Amino acid sequence: MKPPVTPITDQVLTLQIDGTDVSCRSGQTILDVAQENGVYIPTLCFLDGLTTWGGCRLCVVEVAGSNKLLAACATTCSEGMVVTTNSPRLLKYRQTIVEMLFAERNHTCAVCVSNGHCELQTMAQKLGVNHVHVPYRFPKLFVDSSHDRFRLDHNRCILCTRCVRVCGEIEGAHTKEVKGRGIKSLIINDLDQPWADATSCTTCGKCVHVCPTGALTEKGTAVAEMEKRRQFLPYLTQMRETNP
């Protein structure tokens, strides 16, 4: 009797990225394949090891046959797909997004503890954003310094939800969530309590170190001293997948 045939689940696909033919496995996203092949696509909300959110839209790409710009982090590849990751249209779109992020909150880099270590700041430099052409909103947002070790500054938050996802998916505490809608959205702790009163918080600091800006920082850091450490994330993600 012949042994049973095991069905092939990892189908190999061929697609084109910026004029180069590449291969991938079925189920992979455009961002996955681009990173594997050394093609840079800007991202802010995406972080390897956390679930995909697709909120910042910086990773949008052009796909032949579609009039829409598609988020590379959330679009799975298909056979024969033709992808453009860098074009004048995409650059203008990404520059506008970064400008709107700066205008939406109160980002004052010169006095920020994450100055020089901020992903939003670095993204602006990479995309050539040196002026903001939209009106600043200057919202009156508060700073939660109630925690013994950490600080939450809503003025510098870009609502990437990395902190929410790492708290729920990696630490398992589910302390952080988003309240409100649109530009009025804010990160909250437990049921909108001061951070110090959030009983579910384990004080692990993971949320602080996945934050791309100076919104979540350690107390005691001065201007330009806050460096984020994310080395723990790939290890903890692997452990979670190995021992569910």
Side-chain angles (χ1 to χ4, degrees):
M1 180 181 297
K2 294 182 180 180
V5 177
T6 303
I8 299 175
T9 56
D10 285 342
Q11 181 183 1
V12 178
L13 306 175
T14 301
L15 63 151
Q16 190 179 95
I17 298 181
D18 293 338
T20 301
D21 290 334
V22 297
S23 60
C24 70
R25 300 180 302 276
S26 60
Q28 283 191 291
T29 65
I30 295 174
L31 183 61
D32 291 333
V33 182
Q35 291 178 339
E36 286 180 358
N37 289 273
V39 178
Y40 173 72
I41 297 178
T43 63
L44 275 176
C45 69
F46 177 83
L47 191 60
D48 192 24
L50 300 179
T51 57
T52 299
W53 187 58
C56 73
R57 314 308 286 183
L58 275 171
C59 71
V60 289
V61 294
E62 297 173 348
V63 176
S66 174
N67 293 325
K68 299 179 180 178
L69 296 179
L70 303 179
C73 67
T75 303
T76 54
C77 297
S78 60
E79 179 66 31
M81 179 181 278
V82 178
V83 180
T84 300
T85 69
N86 190 12
S87 69
R89 178 192 182 195
L90 290 173
L91 176 60
K92 182 61 178 176
Y93 192 92
R94 291 164 179 165
Q95 288 174 331
T96 301
I97 291 174
V98 170
E99 288 186 28
M100 293 178 71
L101 287 174
F102 274 106
E104 186 175 278
R105 298 288 171 100
N106 302 308
H107 297 276
T108 309
C109 298
V111 295
C112 181
V113 296
S114 291
N115 186 19
H117 309 288
C118 171
E119 291 183 46
L120 177 61
Q121 185 184 61
T122 301
M123 188 62 64
Q125 293 170 345
K126 285 183 176 180
L127 296 176
V129 176
N130 48 29
H131 290 83
V132 175
H133 299 88
V134 295
Y136 283 90
R137 293 188 61 248
F138 297 118
K140 296 180 180 179
L141 300 175
F142 63 96
V143 179
D144 185 350
S145 295
S146 61
H147 196 282
D148 290 340
R149 293 176 50 194
F150 310 125
R151 180 180 294 108
L152 169 58
D153 186 349
H154 292 284
N155 295 281
R156 306 185 188 281
C157 178
I158 60 173
L159 296 169
C160 66
T161 72
R162 285 187 187 180
C163 60
V164 175
R165 287 175 282 156
V166 77
C167 185
E169 298 167 13
I170 304 298
E171 182 62 15
H174 299 278
T175 301
K176 286 181 163 49
E177 193 48 81
V178 181
K179 79 166 185 177
R181 300 185 60 150
I183 58 177
K184 295 183 179 180
S185 299
L186 292 173
I187 299 295
I188 61 173
N189 295 288
D190 281 354
L191 297 177
D192 203 4
Q193 302 295 315
W195 199 347
D197 296 335
T199 56
S200 64
C201 179
T202 63
T203 315
C204 68
K206 293 182 179 65
C207 59
V208 172
H209 289 283
V210 299
C211 176
T213 67
L216 287 166
T217 57
E218 294 176 344
K219 284 187 173 181
T221 49
V223 173
E225 288 185 349
M226 184 65 218
E227 295 187 50
K228 304 299 176 75
R229 302 183 297 275
R230 303 195 182 95
Q231 297 87 344
F232 66 88
L233 190 55
Y235 169 75
L236 292 180
T237 301
Q238 182 179 7
M239 292 299 294
R240 181 189 63 178
E241 293 173 351
T242 305
N243 303 298

